[in-house]
Amino acid sequence: LRGPNSALYGRTAIGGTINLLTAEPSPTHHLRADLTAGDFDTTKGMAAVSGPLRDWGGYYLSGSTERNHGYFTGPIDYQVERASLFGKLTLTPDARSFAKLSVNTVESDQSTPTNVPIIGGRFLSDIDPRFDRLSNLNVPGTNYHQEEDRLTGTYSRLFAGKVNLVALFGYRQIQYKFIDDGDVIGAPYDLAANTLTMYPFDQETNEDIAYSELRLELVPGPGDSSLIVGGSFESTRGFSAGNLIYTDPDTFGWPLNYLDGVHPPRSEWNFFRFGGNDYGQDGTGLFGQYLIEPARRLQVTAGGRYDHFALDNILTFSAGRPRIEDSFHAFSPKLGVTYQLFDGGSSDVSVYGQYAEAFLPPRRPSQLRPSNTAVELQPEDVRNVEVGVKANALGSRLFVQGAYFRMSRDGIITTVRQGPFFLPSNAGEHEYEGVEAEVRWSAPGVVSAYFNAALYDNRFCRFVIQSSGGDTVLTGNRLPIAPDRVLNGGFSVSPHRRIGVEVNVKHIGRVAIDQGNTFELDAYTLVDAAISWSRGPLRLTLSGHNLFDEEYFGNGDTSLAESADPGRPRQVLLTASFQASSTRR
């Protein structure tokens, strides 16, 4: 769903909403297994079983694991290990009710790579060819650990054929843990001595998040009119703390030779404690949306959401353990109109327009900041206007869409890096407008193709970052890591009933890496492709990412433009899939 959709999907739905659907139980007992291997010592395995449970429900169980050694070079051994388990149970107590329960646990241990320094407007790999752009200089070992457990449930019941009650809840327990992590590198540099500065740290964050919602879906009259009303409550409790690791008290980092990557011995490490945020946040929302067709071919949608949000944060490492408390509230309206210009049975053309607002309060305290610094942030207000056209033709085999949008974000929170610290502040406004277009065509079972294009104009409006060292004015600058154009296209074809071919091309335009617009990343184009062969329950797929091995940078230091992240080089993978189903329920 395009544009802010806070009316139904929460105050943080500021630019669009994507519905991610997990696998459902199959109508018959089903087994699937995938095994993948390829470049960067990649191995992946997945197995899933699903099926019915008599006449009252169904089950789905899956497990997966993945390992790879990454595409980074240098003396540091890079590794990634992930594993997950997922289960879902569906229940149908009677003809008018339905329930669903799912559990998911994920664990990840991986190295984190360093990036490529930018010195005097040039990449270090260009200044000194002895430095490989894919070098990883981080402290050896597993630098990042994450655990996450989720429990979600949904219950719906239909009353009198016109009223549907839906209740849902979710619970997440998360741990993020950085361990001797030196992925942040930058100034000061000494090219004569082949040194840069690394800013290592360790940090652990633990959060418990609960969410619940109750809504009524009503069809009050004839036609396609409908009404949705409901309320939600969310609660987050967490604690985050860490240490800067350094040998140089002037920089809170240490000098590192970028050619040999030899780190200081642990006996020389010093620690500076930061964070210590014991925080909580509660949000309560009331929402509603009414859809009506006041005339033939005309559809009007009106809705809104009221949110009240309370945040408290105890600075446990500061003298006296000061407590910061604040609350915010806002009403976010939404209005949309769609008119069908033409309906010819197998073809139709519609135009639409919508206006919506969203409310985005601070989610949690800043992480990498001094423990004695109290940062009080205000909520962000988002407004979005969009007009567009949609058309189907040739029996829905051809789909065309075009849209113009303009989104403004007032009170946006930005982060400024000061040495190893990242300090957030409310600084001003963003304005983002653009034109997007899409064409899709398909001949079922034979070939399908798509192309979409987006042209953007993104700018800081009135935007001043205030600090003790002097104000930074960003007014008129381009937004960091926001391309002016994005082009995507591709096709899939089946030349034989056992063979399938798919090709996808993505082009990303030039971007300003930092908010000061002092450095730009070049445009790049990536080509991905896959060919598959199947026979009976077996399917083999050979896939390739970045087939032409394009060298590109996709992200970087958005505050000071001191470094950039290299993109993934060519990778080829082979996947074997096996599926089998029983003939009985």
Side-chain angles (χ1 to χ4, degrees), residues 124-146:
L124 177 58
S125 53
D126 294 333
I127 297 173
D128 189 342
R130 295 175 298 173
F131 178 79
D132 192 308
R133 61 186 292 271
L134 298 179
S135 292
N136 175 33
L137 303 176
N138 206 342
V139 179
T142 299
N143 308 115
Y144 179 72
H145 172 82
Q146 180 174 338

Side-chain angles (χ1 to χ4, degrees), residues 48 130 140 188 192 220 227 264 272 294 309 347 353-354 376 411 426 448 484 519:
R130 295 175 298 173
L227 175 66
F272 178 85
F309 185 82
S347 303
Q354 73 168 14
E376 298 187 26
N426 290 103
S448 63
D484 53 6
F519 190 84

Side-chain angles (χ1 to χ4, degrees), residues 63-212:
S64 66
T65 182
E66 175 185 356
R67 292 185 177 185
N68 70 77
H69 288 164
Y71 50 84
F72 300 97
T73 63
I76 308 304
D77 184 27
Y78 187 93
Q79 57 186 352
V80 175
E81 295 184 2
R82 301 188 185 101
S84 67
L85 294 172
F86 177 79
K88 178 183 286 187
L89 179 67
T90 59
L91 306 170
T92 309
D94 54 54
R96 290 180 172 268
S97 60
F98 177 77
K100 184 186 301 184
L101 183 68
S102 65
V103 293
N104 184 211
T105 181
V106 179
E107 186 168 332
S108 174
D109 290 284
Q110 64 185 68
S111 306
T112 54
T114 53
N115 34 38
V116 179
I118 300 172
I119 306 172
R122 297 178 63 194
F123 290 115
L124 177 58
S125 53
D126 294 333
I127 297 173
D128 189 342
R130 295 175 298 173
F131 178 79
D132 192 308
R133 61 186 292 271
L134 298 179
S135 292
N136 175 33
L137 303 176
N138 206 342
V139 179
T142 299
N143 308 115
Y144 179 72
H145 172 82
Q146 180 174 338
E147 296 179 19
E148 184 166 347
D149 299 311
R150 300 188 184 201
L151 174 67
T152 60
T154 304
Y155 175 78
S156 62
R157 182 168 183 82
L158 184 65
F159 295 93
K162 291 187 176 182
V163 180
N164 189 40
L165 173 70
V166 179
L168 61 89
F169 73 91
Y171 173 76
R172 297 170 63 193
Q173 186 178 58
I174 310 172
Q175 181 186 77
Y176 309 98
K177 194 172 184 179
F178 293 91
I179 308 164
D180 300 343
D181 185 16
D183 64 338
V184 178
I185 56 177
Y189 305 103
D190 186 343
L191 295 180
N194 303 323
T195 62
L196 47 74
T197 303
M198 175 172 284
Y199 297 97
F201 70 99
D202 62 58
Q203 179 187 359
E204 182 172 332
T205 301
N206 292 277
E207 280 192 344
D208 293 276
I209 305 169
Y211 179 84
S212 59

Side-chain angles (χ1 to χ4, degrees), residues 204-409:
E204 182 172 332
T205 301
N206 292 277
E207 280 192 344
D208 293 276
I209 305 169
Y211 179 84
S212 59
E213 180 178 306
L214 183 68
R215 67 177 184 264
L216 288 173
E217 303 172 345
L218 302 94
V219 183
D224 294 327
S225 62
S226 64
L227 175 66
I228 298 175
V229 294
S232 64
F233 176 77
E234 59 182 297
S235 176
T236 298
R237 297 291 179 269
F239 182 81
S240 181
N243 293 281
L244 295 180
I245 306 172
Y246 66 97
T247 60
D248 184 350
D250 293 329
T251 62
F252 275 114
W254 61 49
L256 180 69
N257 188 306
Y258 58 77
L259 296 180
D260 60 29
V262 177
H263 300 87
R266 289 179 178 267
S267 59
E268 297 180 7
W269 292 11
N270 297 300
F271 297 88
F272 178 85
R273 189 167 59 176
F274 67 84
N277 298 292
D278 190 352
Y279 58 92
Q281 47 200 15
D282 296 314
T284 302
L286 300 174
F287 59 88
Q289 178 170 288
Y290 184 57
L291 183 151
I292 189 173
E293 293 188 359
R296 183 173 176 267
R297 297 184 178 178
L298 178 64
Q299 186 179 88
V300 178
T301 302
R305 181 183 185 93
Y306 173 81
D307 282 290
H308 181 271
F309 185 82
L311 182 147
D312 68 87
N313 177 28
I314 300 175
L315 305 179
T316 59
F317 294 165
S318 299
R321 294 169 54 91
R323 185 169 195 155
I324 301 172
E325 294 181 283
D326 210 341
S327 62
F328 316 99
H329 62 89
F331 177 73
S332 304
K334 175 183 179 180
L335 178 64
V337 178
T338 300
Y339 182 71
Q340 190 176 44
L341 295 174
F342 172 78
D343 183 5
S346 62
S347 303
D348 66 83
V349 180
S350 298
V351 293
Y352 71 93
Q354 73 168 14
Y355 171 81
E357 297 180 8
F359 167 64
L360 190 63
R363 183 184 177 275
R364 65 184 182 190
S366 171
Q367 304 300 294
L368 280 170
R369 64 162 179 78
S371 58
N372 60 354
T373 302
V375 180
E376 298 187 26
L377 301 175
Q378 297 302 310
E380 174 188 334
D381 294 318
V382 183
R383 292 177 174 83
N384 191 307
V385 177
E386 181 173 329
V387 293
V389 59
K390 297 181 181 180
N392 283 286
L394 304 176
S396 297
R397 285 181 296 174
L398 177 65
F399 173 77
V400 179
Q401 175 177 274
Y404 163 81
F405 75 93
R406 182 173 182 174
M407 180 171 67
S408 63
R409 301 173 62 181

Side-chain angles (χ1 to χ4, degrees), residues 34-57:
D34 294 343
L35 180 62
T36 299
D39 288 336
F40 317 140
D41 296 326
T42 298
T43 58
K44 301 179 184 179
M46 189 280 289
V49 293
S50 65
L53 293 172
R54 297 186 178 180
D55 295 327
W56 52 266

